[in-house]
Amino acid sequence: MIDIRRIFTHVEQIQHEFGPVASTPLLRGAIAAVLTNPFAGRYEPDILPMMDELQPVGLEMAQRLRAAMDVPADRIEGYGKGAIVGAAGELEHGALWHVPGGYAMRELLGWKGDRNAYAKGQAEEKTGQPANQQANALSIVPSTKKVGGPGTALDVPLTHVNASYVRSHFDAIEVRVPGAPLPDEIVFILAMSTGPRIHARVGGLAASAISKWDGLR
């Protein structure tokens, strides 16, 4: 069911945005896998088996993206995911990426919950992990998806890995794979960043001010 044609990786280093040069540049990275869509051209009522097949794909992509950014996992402060479905598919095919893509990054960054509970809609509690465990990556991974042709660009949202409302980390990275997706393909995307927007200064909840994460604050 899983047939990968291409893997595209993009990493950018941002020094400044017309302001002072940052002492530590912001890194943003994205990885995209171009897969054959086994449901292209027809309506398939039961698409969940592909979600299970995508689990190892998500894990490998998360590891490859972290390696391409060349930073330890504890330097990752923002994440997001997305999908571009070729014209012979439907938007719901892109939604298959929610568990395999999101929880691959969360587990890489130290989350201690059970992704299978989420796949079944049975979260342990709002953090998705046992209350007596300390972990990282507590926030839901933001997502977007669309149907489009070869070269379609997608703005993949990024938010803080531990608190969704940390305003300085609200961001997005544009991802486009030249020549993909073909009508019978899907592009699945993961994205990460190492910090806030380079000159973030619009107030709101600050990451440094939070002592106890719950993923939602």
Side-chain angles (χ1 to χ4, degrees), residues 156-198:
V156 180
L158 297 165
T159 56
H160 195 283
V161 299
N162 281 324
S164 295
Y165 299 158
V166 174
R167 195 179 297 170
S168 60
H169 287 61
F170 292 171
D171 204 352
I173 181 170
E174 182 178 321
V175 181
R176 183 180 73 86
V177 181
L182 298 176
D184 64 347
E185 292 181 328
I186 307 176
V187 177
F188 288 121
I189 301 163
L190 298 180
M192 299 179 189
S193 67
T194 59
R197 298 181 309 278
I198 201 70

Side-chain angles (χ1 to χ4, degrees), residues 7 11 29 43 62 70 79 84 104 114 139 158 170 182 192 202 212:
I7 295 178
V11 177
Y43 176 78
D70 195 24
Y79 53 22
I84 307 170
D114 178 7
S139 294
L158 297 165
F170 292 171
L182 298 176
M192 299 179 189
V202 295
K212 181 180 178 182

Side-chain angles (χ1 to χ4, degrees), residues 12 22 26 35 42 88 96 105 115 130-131 138 165 188 190 198:
E12 60 182 328
L26 171 65
L35 285 74
R42 61 188 176 89
L96 288 167
M105 288 190 294
R115 70 158 68 192
L138 300 181
Y165 299 158
F188 288 121
L190 298 180
I198 201 70

Side-chain angles (χ1 to χ4, degrees), residues 78-185:
Y79 53 22
K81 63 185 184 297
I84 307 170
V85 182
E90 59 174 295
L91 198 62
E92 194 68 5
H93 300 158
L96 288 167
W97 194 228
H98 283 302
V99 171
Y103 290 100
M105 288 190 294
R106 294 181 75 178
E107 289 165 9
L108 176 72
L109 301 180
W111 183 72
K112 304 296 185 182
D114 178 7
R115 70 158 68 192
N116 292 321
Y118 270 84
K120 298 173 184 176
Q122 300 169 347
E124 291 164 297
E125 52 184 68
K126 67 181 178 180
T127 63
Q129 62 186 353
N132 64 350
Q133 292 195 27
Q134 298 297 316
N136 196 38
L138 300 181
S139 294
I140 188 171
V141 182
S143 179
T144 189
K145 50 193 170 292
K146 68 195 298 186
V147 174
T152 293
L154 188 70
D155 289 333
V156 180
L158 297 165
T159 56
H160 195 283
V161 299
N162 281 324
S164 295
Y165 299 158
V166 174
R167 195 179 297 170
S168 60
H169 287 61
F170 292 171
D171 204 352
I173 181 170
E174 182 178 321
V175 181
R176 183 180 73 86
V177 181
L182 298 176
D184 64 347
E185 292 181 328

Side-chain angles (χ1 to χ4, degrees), residues 4 6 15 18 24 27-28 61 70 74 78 83 92 123 145 149-150 177 193 197-198 200 205 217:
I4 298 176
R6 295 172 61 188
Q15 307 279 358
F18 310 107
T24 301
L27 293 180
R28 298 193 308 187
M61 288 175 63
D70 195 24
D74 60 11
E92 194 68 5
K145 50 193 170 292
V177 181
S193 67
R197 298 181 309 278
I198 201 70
L205 181 66
R217 290 197 243 181

